[in-house]
Amino acid sequence: MAVVSSPAAANMPEGNSELGMQKAYTCQFCHGATGISPRDDYPNMNGQNAEYLFDAMMAYKEGYRDGAMGRLMKQQMSVLNTQDMADIATYYAEQSR
């Protein structure tokens, strides 16, 4: 099994979970307010590793992850900068499972 990843996690800035909670408002529609998705076909982000979440967001933004959901996520990520993504990743990582 091949793993496709970008080197983004190595460059993740320090995230601020309080700011991440404010910035994650559009994420909540699919992934839930605390990262528990209301739908079975969308992943839970609650309690995930912050660097993993950041790397996934960067991969969507940079087009490394594609397909229908990849295009949707790329559009969502297009309005976020690197610090926004680090803050959101930190917020969801700090949510208890």
Side-chain angles (χ1 to χ4, degrees):
M1 177 169 87
V3 176
V4 177
S5 181
S6 71
N11 299 318
M12 180 180 160
E14 185 173 338
N16 179 313
S17 64
E18 289 182 28
L19 293 175
M21 181 175 68
Q22 297 168 16
K23 296 174 182 181
Y25 63 92
T26 61
C27 306
Q28 296 176 12
F29 294 107
C30 297
H31 299 288
T34 61
I36 300 294
S37 177
R39 296 178 47 146
D40 290 337
D41 52 343
Y42 293 124
N44 294 325
M45 297 191 310
N46 165 294
Q48 291 285 349
N49 178 280
E51 289 180 348
Y52 169 79
L53 293 173
F54 178 82
D55 192 47
M57 288 188 278
M58 288 297 295
Y60 283 120
K61 185 171 186 149
E62 295 170 356
Y64 292 115
R65 292 186 176 193
D66 56 8
M69 294 310 290
R71 288 188 294 277
L72 173 72
M73 287 296 296
K74 183 175 183 172
Q75 178 63 33
Q76 293 294 316
M77 296 300 108
S78 71
V79 299
L80 301 175
N81 63 37
T82 304
Q83 186 62 57
D84 295 334
M85 289 186 276
D87 293 340
I88 292 168
T90 300
Y91 166 68
Y92 280 118
E94 290 183 2
Q95 303 306 302
S96 61
R97 287 184 176 236

